[in-house]
Structures are given as structure tokens and as C-alpha cells.
Amino acid sequence: MIKQLEITLPGFRRGYHLITSLIEKELPELPEKGLLHILVKHTSAGITLNENADPTVRSDFESFMNKMIPENDPVYQHTLEGSDDITGHLKSSVIGAELTIPITNHRLNLGTWQGIYFCEFRNSGGRRKIVLTILS
Amino acid sequence: MIKQLEITLPGFRRGYHLITSLIEKELPELPEKGLLHILVKHTSAGITLNENADPTVRSDFESFMNKMIPENDPVYQHTLEGSDDITGHLKSSVIGAELTIPITNHRLNLGTWQGIYFCEFRNSGGRRKIVLTILS
Amino acid sequence: MIKQLEITLPGFRRGYHLITSLIEKELPELPEKGLLHILVKHTSAGITLNENADPTVRSDFESFMNKMIPENDPVYQHTLEGSDDITGHLKSSVIGAELTIPITNHRLNLGTWQGIYFCEFRNSGGRRKIVLTILS
């Protein structure tokens, strides 16, 4: 069986945001076993699994990703919307914009330290849409 | 229900190529709701979602990824097939070689600006195979 | 139909390890067609598809990823558990901690040269858990 819903996230500032609880609140009752697929419907945002406890992991992601994929590199041509334009697109494909998570015993089956990060790569990304698909 | 097919892409030159329409043409009639999974059966090519409009996004991907994962780095040992050999493998795992997309109302449910990029990391990759699996 | 199991991997040393056979041995009889989803339940390990033959691909991954995401960068704050702490988290999100593979004719349908890499990013990661979900 397949259930599907589309939700709009609150507007997040640029950075990495733990959204596990937010997602869980939006989900209908989960099946005993299955998969949850999450798609971010944007090309300068991302979604990934990472540490759900210490907030410096999220701030280190912001600091380091900005070094690995720096703004204002002279190779870029797609910069019409500002220095965070093409770098947002690049980060989106390096981190990924979709994710699948197993469902076990009617709950998301993540590791103890795993949480879902929503990654906003633009300075002013606005409210972002995601599609949630539950397979069972 | 599961439908599955394997297709062979045309030979693409090195770079990032928008293949959303090509994939849609190969697909059978899609279910009302479901998921499409795409696997690239190669280790020096990739698949990702990104901007479907301005072609400079795709050329910037080529320019920047070549800087982030440069050829001829002295740390590499796996270079028998040329300078694009190991870098093709590295890029494939950084970008990813498989992707899942939700299906809604019998269509791929992507964001307005999202398209499917096929990423050819070799100078002469030849014709590449992909597996399409539709779950409903 | 959905089958699901959780397994514990042997303790792998830091690096990239081919685990295709190990996974295949743990799986129950596979359906004629379907998908296998694999989640690594940790935030400093990863899973990806890459070349299954020459071991220098795996050692080049270790060498190059350590250059691309270097330890002891002064921007990092999350370093309590050592220099491989935050870099393990960053690598996990760049490579990814989950993967979906098509099943065809009761077997994993990978390319001739594709294998499943388990990526241990910590110096002493210990035994890691993964969740296997089979959809058909």
C-alpha cells in the first residue's frame, strides 16, 4: 500500500536543521514494516541523515561545506541570483535531495544518533516543499 | 505491483545531461501513486536531481567538480585507464548512482525546476545502462 | 510484500570495504522483481556502489576523501572524540548512509563492475548495524 502527502516546511535560515520530529508529526500512522521516501522539491536545498545531538555538528557542516564548495569561484557562470546560487545547486547534488528510511514496528527505524537534516543552501530559500511517500 | 525495465542510454559526452524527457518516454504508463527507482549500472557515471532550465548549471557542475575532485593528483594509484579513471569512480560515489522519485497522479512528482541529470564522468564512457523500477 | 532484517557487520578498520557477498549471504530468498534498501544506522559510516575489482579503487577513496575532507581543519568545533569525529560525520553525508538496489530474477541487479562498499570513517568504529528491507 502507498500513502503520499506533500508538506510545506517553515522557512529555515541557511544551514542544517534537524527535522525528524517535524516529519514524524506530519506522517499518518505508519505501517508495521515499510519504507518512507522523502523528496525535497528544490534544487538548492538537500536532505541527509546525521547526528541528532550536538548542534556543533550542524554548524560544522555549514562551515566546512562553504570551504569545500566556496562561493565566488571564478569558474562559475550561473551566478545571476547571487553568490549562493550555483553553490546551492552543487551542494544539493553532493548532499542529495531525496532519502529513504526503513519503517519497523510502526516507527522510523533510525540509529540512536541519527536524525533527518534539512539543508537550506540559499541565504533566503523561503518555504520549501517536500513529498513524503510511505510504502508498505 | 512492480514493473521493471532496463534501457541503454545514447552515448553522452563527458558532462551533465538533462534526461528527464528521455526517461519519461521509456516509462510504461505510471500508477496513480508510487515510486520510480533509477540505477545507473556503472561505476564512473552518476545520476542526480538539479536545475532543469539554465544550461550553465550543467557546465558549472563540470567545471567545479573537476576542481573539487581533480585529475592527476599524486595520491591516486588507480589510473591505468587514464586521468579520468579514478576521478570518475570518486565522482560517482559523491554524486550517487541511484535515485528514487515519487509518482503522483500518474506522473513523476518533481519540483518545477527539478530535472534528472545523467552524469558522464569519463571522457569516452560509451553507452550506459540503467534499470528503472516502478513500485505501486 | 516486505521483508526486513537487521544485521551487525564485523568490525571493519577505517576504509572502504566490499560487502556485496556478505550482504547476499544474509538475505533471504529474493523475489523475482523488487528493490533492496540498505540503511547504515550510524552517522560516521556510509554505503555506496563502486568498482568491485581493483582494490586500489578502495585505497584511493581513503586517500582522496581524506584530502577533500581533511582532519584538523580549524573551522571544526565538533572534535571531542578526536580528529576523525566531525570528518566522519561530513563524509557520511557526502557519500550517504542508505542505498537502494533493484532485484531482478531473484538476484541483486548491479552492473558487472558494481559492488557494495561499506565505508568506515572512524579509526575505531566498532561493529556497525544495518537494516535490510526487501520490497516486492
Side-chain angles (χ1 to χ4, degrees), chain C:
Chain C
M1 197 171 73
I2 298 190
K3 288 184 187 173
Q4 202 170 53
L5 64 157
E6 188 164 318
I7 64 169
T8 303
L9 298 177
F12 283 113
R13 65 172 170 72
R14 178 171 167 161
Y16 297 76
H17 305 275
L18 197 56
I19 60 163
T20 320
S21 304
L22 187 158
I23 295 288
E24 284 170 338
K25 270 178 213 147
E26 296 283 350
L27 291 170
E29 199 185 351
L30 294 179
E32 204 259 320
K33 280 184 288 191
L35 290 177
L36 168 67
H37 178 262
I38 308 174
L39 171 73
V40 176
K41 295 184 83 172
H42 301 270
T43 62
S44 51
I47 195 156
T48 188
L49 297 172
N50 220 292
E51 213 231 51
N52 59 17
D54 182 356
T56 63
V57 177
R58 272 109 70 197
S59 54
D60 281 357
F61 261 78
E62 178 64 19
S63 308
F64 181 71
M65 290 292 289
N66 292 341
K67 284 188 82 161
M68 192 170 85
I69 301 176
E71 298 183 15
N72 302 308
D73 189 305
V75 302
Y76 303 139
Q77 293 186 280
H78 182 86
T79 54
L80 195 65
E81 294 180 16
S83 66
D84 61 330
D85 186 351
I86 183 62
T87 51
H89 294 307
L90 290 162
K91 288 171 181 172
S92 181
S93 283
V94 167
I95 294 294
E98 54 91 28
L99 196 61
T100 304
I101 297 171
I103 295 165
T104 309
N105 295 329
H106 308 281
R107 301 189 57 178
L108 299 185
N109 187 353
L110 293 169
T112 309
W113 301 100
Q114 280 182 313
I116 305 169
Y117 282 21
F118 174 75
C119 316
E120 176 54 72
F121 300 127
R122 298 301 305 268
N123 295 326
S124 299
R127 300 190 67 187
R128 305 293 206 168
K129 286 179 188 160
I130 65 178
V131 182
L132 302 169
T133 304
I134 300 158
L135 277 103
S136 63

Side-chain angles (χ1 to χ4, degrees), chain A residues 4 40-41 77-78 89 93, chain B residues 35 50 54 60 104 109 114:
Chain A
Q4 202 170 53
V40 175
K41 294 184 83 172
Q77 294 187 279
H78 181 86
H89 294 307
S93 283
Chain B
L35 290 177
N50 222 292
D54 182 356
D60 280 358
T104 310
N109 187 353
Q114 280 183 314

Side-chain angles (χ1 to χ4, degrees), chain A residues 65-120:
Chain A
M65 290 292 288
N66 292 342
K67 283 187 82 161
M68 192 170 84
I69 301 177
E71 297 183 15
N72 301 308
D73 190 303
V75 302
Y76 303 139
Q77 294 187 279
H78 181 86
T79 54
L80 196 63
E81 294 180 18
S83 66
D84 61 330
D85 186 350
I86 183 62
T87 51
H89 294 307
L90 290 162
K91 289 171 181 172
S92 181
S93 283
V94 168
I95 294 294
E98 53 90 30
L99 195 62
T100 304
I101 296 171
I103 295 165
T104 309
N105 295 329
H106 309 280
R107 302 189 57 178
L108 299 185
N109 187 353
L110 293 170
T112 309
W113 301 101
Q114 280 183 314
I116 305 169
Y117 282 21
F118 174 74
C119 316
E120 177 53 73

